[in-house]
Amino acid sequence: MIARFTRLMSASVVKKQIMGLTGLLLCGFLVGHLAGNLLIFVGAEYFNAYGHALITNPLIYVAEAGLGVLFIAHLGMAVRLIMENHKARPVKYYLKQPTGRGSTFASSTMPYTGTLTLIFLVLHILQFKFGPVYTIVHGGVEMRDLYKLVVEFYQSEVAVLWYVVCMISIGVHLTHGFWSAFQSLGFHHPSYTPLLRKISVGFAVVIAGGFASLPIYCYFQGGM
Amino acid sequence: MSDGNMNLKLKVWRQKNTKDAGQMVDYSLEGVSPDMSFLEMMDMLNEKLVNEGQDSIAFDHDCREGICGMCSMMINGQAHGPKDLTTTCQLHMRSFKDGDTVVVEPWRARAFPVMKDLMVDRSAFDQIIAAGGFVNVNTGNAPDGNAIPISKENADLAMDAAACIGCAACVASCKNASAMLFVSAKISQLALLPQGEVEGEERVRSMVSKMDELGFGNCTNEAECEASCPKGISISNIARMNRQYFTSAIKAK
């Protein structure tokens, strides 16, 4: 049983599938996270209430652990695959040119956009989850004033710029990652693969654009 | 010789044997006809080298009509040169201009050691085929021609996959030196037909594990293999292999 599991996990095909599956599940997290954060546009009260509901729900620990496992699996498998792929060609080419009909900017920069996302993620958690704690009372309930924290944080042009750059990077990562996950999992058909590639770009634009709009909005909210 | 002959600068990988470190060596070649194939240009260079008393450049070639898959050359950083759907022997010198520098290298992959100059040992592909790329047929009378119905669609897909000539341009052009296009084509051509379907599950497991064991890289879905395949084999075969491997691995006894 264990031998079968180990053998399965070490197969090249399955390693790709783990990358794809964890990537898609992380895409699901991005959708949820963006949907919640868009409450910033609705108002401080709604955004803070949303944050409060998340933080005070005991299931948050289960969700955080699950996300942690997904992220570590995605990252760990990426490191393993990159190392194996590096070993598969010990002598490099003197000259290597892309055909122009296969690889894209996104597909050839996956390790770099992925690394940038990792750095972003660590800073992002430190800046907000473990950032300064402001409190506010909405409807008689005392809660963390995350709205104030976010607006205050994005008064800095550097912070806004860094955030936008990181979102573009995640967007680029998604344009290849999203459709690629389906390919790895075995979904490929002339009828839906071209559509899947378009959806991949659309999804990347919505996610990156949606998130990037938040700090820009917060920047202009600062004067109030 | 017609007018419009070219003078070329060549940078060719020279390596004495498997132990030698090897290096790029510069050559110049005058009077190359645009009507020559790339291999004829290499023959011309070799004649020149032999006349000068130098060791000729070793390279693989056989049919010179695009079906044997032997002429493995990385030309200006692309497998079989800049044209799509061509092997090196089908590439004409008219694809180059007078005064061009042309870089010629062998396939690079851990599983394909360089034997000499541009010749690599591609027997890793033979090992993958030996691991399961066949159907077991019992001897006896020849079966009825149309006893087993096969849909036109599957027959076409199997034929598309069977167009693979095993040239390894997919491995050479893949940034990860992955053999998944080759292996998936060989799996698909059999799995799509009723005769091959019987052993399909066992075949996908044994061929994939042999491929992994030989040290090929992992696919990252860039599709450079499809773009450089002289037979235009689609990466839909890789997706088929992916889903078949997973179901097979779960069901394996």
Side-chain angles (χ1 to χ4, degrees):
Chain A
M1 182 65 207
I2 290 166
R4 169 187 289 236
F5 184 75
T6 328
R7 198 170 60 235
L8 188 70
M9 288 300 144
S10 64
S12 54
V13 170
V14 177
K15 281 183 279 193
K16 277 157 52 103
Q17 285 167 339
I18 292 169
M19 278 309 278
L21 193 62
T22 52
L24 278 186
L25 290 170
L26 288 168
C27 283
F29 161 72
L30 286 177
V31 172
H33 190 41
L34 177 62
N37 282 9
L38 287 175
L39 286 171
I40 288 179
F41 287 118
V42 183
E45 199 175 329
Y46 292 92
F47 181 65
N48 284 335
Y50 163 70
H52 186 68
L54 276 189
I55 300 167
T56 51
N57 190 331
L59 285 176
I60 190 72
Y61 298 108
V62 180
E64 281 178 345
L67 273 176
V69 168
L70 279 183
F71 198 82
I72 290 165
H74 194 71
L75 177 73
M77 199 51 88
V79 171
R80 188 173 165 186
L81 287 170
I82 289 169
M83 279 163 49
E84 283 181 8
N85 291 344
H86 188 75
K87 269 203 323 209
R89 180 166 290 141
V91 182
K92 305 295 169 209
Y93 285 109
Y94 173 84
L95 178 67
K96 177 84 169 74
Q97 302 265 41
T99 54
R101 303 180 294 271
S103 68
T104 58
F105 175 75
S107 76
S108 52
T109 53
M110 292 301 272
Y112 309 110
T113 49
T115 306
L116 192 60
T117 304
L118 173 64
I119 298 167
F120 167 79
L121 190 69
V122 172
L123 292 177
H124 189 68
I125 291 171
L126 289 178
Q127 281 153 359
F128 295 110
K129 187 175 168 61
F130 300 107
V133 177
Y134 302 120
T135 52
I136 192 167
V137 177
H138 286 305
V141 184
E142 190 179 336
M143 58 184 72
R144 243 187 115 174
D145 193 352
L146 288 163
Y147 185 85
K148 183 183 172 187
L149 175 64
V150 174
V151 171
E152 187 183 83
F153 190 79
Y154 288 114
Q155 288 315 297
S156 147
E157 288 86 358
V158 177
V160 175
L161 188 70
W162 163 251
Y163 190 92
V164 171
V165 167
C166 288
M167 288 310 108
I168 292 171
S169 156
I170 289 179
V172 169
H173 197 81
L174 290 176
T175 58
H176 178 70
F178 189 80
W179 87 267
S180 180
F182 286 95
Q183 164 79 9
S184 292
L185 292 168
F187 294 88
H188 187 115
H189 197 280
S191 70
Y192 58 69
T193 297
L195 179 68
L196 215 48
R197 294 196 76 148
K198 287 197 186 91
I199 291 174
S200 203
V201 176
F203 180 72
V205 170
V206 168
I207 292 291
F211 276 114
S213 69
L214 298 168
I216 296 170
Y217 175 76
C218 290
Y219 180 76
F220 291 110
Q221 289 299 299
M224 44 169 230
Chain B
M1 279 198 207
S2 63
D3 282 337
N5 284 358
M6 300 174 284
N7 298 334
L8 295 175
K9 292 187 187 69
L10 291 144
K11 277 183 183 293
V12 184
W13 183 260
R14 301 305 308 261
Q15 184 174 333
K16 285 192 178 67
N17 50 46
T18 47
K19 303 276 182 285
D20 184 23
Q23 57 179 338
M24 298 299 292
V25 177
D26 291 351
Y27 298 100
S28 60
L29 192 61
E30 288 85 39
V32 177
S33 160
D35 300 332
M36 283 178 175
S37 78
F38 198 87
L39 294 186
E40 284 167 335
M41 184 278 294
M42 292 299 291
D43 292 337
M44 189 181 169
L45 175 63
N46 269 345
E47 271 182 49
K48 184 185 164 193
L49 292 179
V50 169
N51 286 338
E52 289 169 358
Q54 297 184 52
D55 192 16
S56 61
I57 300 163
F59 62 90
D60 273 327
H61 62 103
D62 189 12
C63 75
R64 298 208 177 199
E65 56 184 14
I67 54 167
C68 77
M70 285 302 283
C71 48
S72 52
M73 279 185 203
M74 204 71 178
I75 300 160
N76 280 346
Q78 296 194 353
H80 295 146
K83 292 264 183 224
D84 61 343
L85 302 173
T86 46
T87 52
T88 304
C89 62
Q90 293 172 310
L91 177 69
H92 284 92
M93 294 314 294
R94 65 179 81 102
S95 301
F96 301 90
K97 290 193 305 290
D98 185 41
D100 272 1
T101 300
V102 184
V103 178
V104 192
E105 287 176 271
W107 288 169
R108 298 285 187 200
R110 180 157 66 115
F112 295 152
V114 175
M115 308 301 288
K116 188 176 193 298
D117 301 334
L118 303 171
M119 273 172 62
V120 298
D121 178 3
R122 285 184 294 131
S123 57
F125 269 13
D126 299 336
Q127 290 183 54
I128 294 172
I129 295 294
F134 49 81
V135 286
N136 286 306
V137 179
N138 293 326
T139 53
N141 290 338
D144 252 12
N146 291 318
I148 309 168
I150 301 169
S151 74
K152 169 78 173 125
E153 193 187 347
N154 274 5
D156 285 350
L157 287 172
M159 197 61 213
D160 288 348
C164 170
I165 54 174
C167 67
C170 46
V171 177
S173 63
C174 174
K175 72 168 179 190
N176 310 316
S178 167
M180 286 198 186
L181 191 66
F182 167 77
V183 176
S184 67
K186 295 299 176 191
I187 286 170
S188 293
Q189 67 178 9
L190 300 174
L192 284 160
L193 300 176
Q195 294 89 339
E197 201 183 354
V198 185
E199 296 162 298
E201 291 189 2
E202 206 182 317
R203 178 183 306 116
V204 69
R205 284 200 308 278
S206 43
M207 287 180 80
V208 167
S209 68
K210 179 55 82 177
M211 166 182 80
D212 292 349
E213 180 196 315
L214 291 167
F216 290 102
N218 303 285
C219 172
T220 45
N221 301 327
E222 292 211 270
E224 280 292 302
C225 52
E226 180 183 293
S228 59
C229 175
K231 301 298 159 187
I233 310 264
S234 161
I235 58 165
S236 62
N237 291 299
I238 300 181
R240 182 178 296 107
M241 175 177 76
N242 291 344
R243 59 180 181 259
Q244 287 192 347
Y245 185 88
F246 193 71
T247 48
S248 159
I250 291 169
K251 287 154 74 180
K253 290 193 181 67

